Amino acid sequence: MKLSQKLTAKTKLNQTLRSWLPILQASGDELKETLEPFLEKNPFAQLEPNPKSRSINFYNDLYKTSISDAIESNIIYKESLYEKLYNQIDDRLFPSQKSKEIANLIIESISDEGYFEWSDEKFANFSKEEVERVRARFAYLEPIGVGAVDYKESFIFQLNDLCDDDEIYRLCVEIIEDFENISKFTKRKNYDAAMSIIKKFKNPPAIEYMDSDILVIPDIFVYDNDGAIEVAVNDEFYPHINIDIDGVDEKSEFVSSKIKEAKDLIDALEMRKSTLYKIGLMIIEYQYDYFFGGDIKPMKLKDIADDLGRNPSTISRAIQNKFLSSKRGIVPLKNFFTAAAAKEVSNAAIKEFLLNLIKNENRLKPLSDEAILAMIESEFDIKLVRRTITKYRKMLNIASSSERKKLYAIQG
């Protein structure tokens, strides 16, 4: 009898887990479609909008609590093309106030497709030569290609980022400048290699920002409640499973099995919320300083899995395509699981230090990767290899020392 009870309990848990894992892995906007296959053959359960949910068109009724304030301000977020560009107008490429002013006006003159459109009114206080000198620096901003006057110039901007072979580069330029007669290039040496690069170009350059329907919905909120950091799960976008058994015989084997299936799904949704809530609490514990302006510290999936009594693969599923919202913005949960470069030093801390080195370097003699390596090893008392520094630099979209020297010369 005891063995039978244990097997029944284990079977129930396994059934719930089978439902739970895909539900856990689904992002907030995928929950409804993830649940639908489980319920499509269940006549007694229906998916309904969450009764706690409000219209996402910037709610008419404002909650008064601090968590609701956080939801109100952060529930819908997608970095726009213009935010992306404005955030890159810094001293590295635009050192003077005048260059920043021109750069901001250029951004205002960029179409939704990413092309620059001249305006006599906007640039009345500047010469065309001044504007063009500043606009040339947009070739080094992301998304690459934005700020060009037409697709050919956009392709040249993108080519600079994708090709480091001089011969192929020159052929690509020829093809771009004479696309109307592209057939005449087919027998040229390196034609296939050149076309392979050209096929990677984005046209229009801002195409990835043109879908305004893509939204980022935070799964976890971290907010300041009178000086205390607290966490809450955003359950307003969870669909509601309604079980309707009016007028049916609950003792029927078919009915009872379908009711059980629906309840297992409800349990799975609750397990999802519970797991995300616990992950949120552990992130606060491990990354407390981050929420007050500090760096993200090294944190492994195994650390949090051990603390929660879960398998690391389960935690990995839980953080995929999930986001956390705090006063520092909306970030993917996976960002908090930064790998350690060594000891207690995180990749994020090293990247921040590298950025500061570049920002303050001698423009007449930019720092080489070897020099940066030596400074980082001295600062953090760790051993790295040069290719690690090169990788971080490229991840941060920082040009090589020779390329930076050319950029600084352009800036004057």
Side-chain angles (χ1 to χ4, degrees):
M1 183 66 178
K2 288 182 180 179
L3 177 61
S4 175
Q5 288 175 338
K6 287 181 180 179
L7 289 173
T8 301
K10 185 175 181 180
T11 301
K12 178 179 179 179
L13 181 61
N14 286 341
Q15 289 173 339
T16 303
L17 285 174
R18 278 197 295 272
S19 305
W20 178 57
L21 290 176
I23 290 171
L24 179 67
Q25 189 165 4
S27 61
D29 57 353
E30 294 173 338
L31 263 180
K32 183 176 181 293
E33 59 188 64
T34 302
L35 289 167
E36 283 173 345
F38 290 100
L39 293 173
E40 61 184 6
K41 295 182 180 179
N42 194 327
F44 308 109
Q46 299 85 33
L47 281 178
E48 297 178 350
N50 189 323
K52 293 192 293 183
S53 176
R54 297 168 288 169
S55 167
I56 65 173
N57 292 322
F58 301 110
Y59 318 100
N60 295 321
D61 54 329
L62 301 183
Y63 282 13
K64 301 301 180 183
T65 64
S66 54
I67 181 174
S68 297
D69 290 341
I71 292 173
E72 179 65 26
S73 62
N74 291 314
I75 195 68
I76 300 173
Y77 172 79
K78 180 193 174 186
E79 184 180 48
S80 71
L81 169 66
Y82 304 98
E83 286 178 294
K84 178 77 172 178
L85 291 171
Y86 281 128
N87 287 336
Q88 296 175 79
I89 306 304
D90 56 26
D91 292 340
R92 187 168 63 93
L93 280 171
F94 310 95
S96 68
Q97 188 57 42
K98 185 177 183 179
S99 65
K100 287 186 176 70
E101 186 178 349
I102 294 174
N104 286 328
L105 289 174
I106 290 172
I107 293 174
E108 291 177 19
S109 305
I110 289 176
S111 69
D112 290 344
E113 292 186 337
Y115 294 117
F116 172 70
E117 299 171 348
W118 176 268
S119 166
D120 288 333
E121 183 180 352
K122 273 194 177 74
F123 299 103
N125 297 324
F126 306 100
S127 69
K128 201 149 193 171
E129 291 74 19
E130 287 176 317
V131 174
E132 283 302 296
R133 278 200 298 271
V134 173
R135 192 178 66 82
R137 303 170 202 174
F138 275 63
Y140 301 97
L141 301 185
E142 291 183 342
I144 304 296
V146 167
V149 294
D150 56 27
Y151 78 91
K152 289 187 177 182
E153 187 180 41
S154 173
F155 285 178
I156 296 296
F157 283 6
Q158 296 178 61
L159 178 63
N160 291 331
D161 187 61
L162 292 173
C163 182
D164 54 10
D165 183 289
D166 290 342
E167 285 189 22
I168 296 175
Y169 181 95
R170 286 193 291 270
L171 178 57
C172 284
V173 171
E174 288 185 57
I175 294 172
I176 291 168
E177 291 178 344
D178 197 11
F179 261 127
E180 296 78 6
N181 300 298
I182 195 170
S183 59
K184 74 181 186 181
F185 298 100
T186 55
K187 295 183 179 179
R188 291 275 296 274
K189 178 186 175 183
N190 295 321
Y191 173 77
D192 289 341
M195 289 306 298
S196 176
I197 292 172
I198 290 172
K199 287 176 182 177
K200 295 178 182 178
F201 294 161
K202 293 178 182 177
N203 185 32
I207 190 168
E208 64 191 285
Y209 289 89
M210 292 174 66
D211 184 358
S212 59
D213 295 329
I214 299 175
L215 303 175
V216 171
I217 301 173
D219 298 86
I220 298 173
F221 292 100
V222 173
Y223 60 99
D224 189 337
N225 186 9
D226 294 329
I229 297 294
E230 297 187 10
V231 64
V233 172
N234 175 18
D235 61 359
E236 293 196 4
F237 286 85
Y238 278 64
H240 179 69
I241 298 176
N242 180 49
I243 300 176
D244 184 2
I245 53 174
D246 287 345
V248 298
D249 181 7
E250 294 182 44
K251 295 181 180 179
S252 160
E253 183 176 345
F254 174 77
V255 173
S256 62
S257 68
K258 293 301 178 182
I259 292 173
K260 180 182 177 303
E261 288 175 9
K263 288 182 176 178
D264 283 345
L265 277 186
I266 293 172
D267 288 343
L269 276 174
E270 291 304 316
M271 288 173 73
R272 182 188 196 274
K273 294 179 189 178
S274 174
T275 301
L276 287 174
Y277 178 73
K278 290 174 182 176
I279 289 174
L281 289 176
M282 296 308 301
I283 286 175
I284 290 177
E285 181 178 338
Y286 278 81
Q287 307 289 357
Y288 189 82
D289 291 343
Y290 166 81
F291 298 102
F292 291 95
D295 294 325
I296 291 177
K297 296 179 180 178
M299 184 177 179
K300 297 178 182 177
L301 286 173
K302 189 176 184 304
D303 293 335
I304 200 167
D306 289 345
D307 285 341
L308 297 181
R310 301 285 187 194
N311 190 291
S313 63
T314 299
I315 303 303
S316 178
R317 286 173 184 249
I319 66 173
Q320 291 303 311
N321 303 312
K322 311 291 195 309
F323 296 84
L324 180 147
S325 173
S326 73
K327 63 183 180 182
R328 294 196 64 179
I330 297 176
V331 296
L333 289 187
K334 65 181 182 181
N335 283 16
F336 292 101
F337 295 86
T338 178
K343 300 179 183 177
E344 289 300 310
V345 181
S346 72
N347 290 348
I350 291 176
K351 289 175 188 175
E352 184 67 27
F353 183 75
L354 192 158
L355 277 171
N356 286 328
L357 287 178
I358 300 298
K359 188 174 181 180
N360 297 298
E361 71 182 346
N362 181 343
R363 294 176 173 238
L364 297 176
K365 192 176 180 182
L367 295 167
S368 66
D369 287 353
E370 289 81 1
I372 293 172
L373 172 63
M375 292 178 179
I376 287 175
E377 289 183 338
S378 174
E379 174 71 16
F380 295 101
D381 190 24
I382 58 175
K383 289 299 293 181
L384 298 174
V385 293
R386 186 189 58 79
R387 65 175 177 272
T388 301
I389 303 305
T390 304
K391 180 181 75 172
Y392 288 170
R393 176 173 57 73
K394 289 182 176 179
M395 289 170 66
L396 293 167
N397 197 31
I398 296 172
S400 67
S401 57
S402 59
E403 292 170 333
R404 295 201 305 278
K405 191 171 184 178
K406 293 176 185 177
L407 282 173
Y408 295 147
I410 292 173
Q411 294 169 11

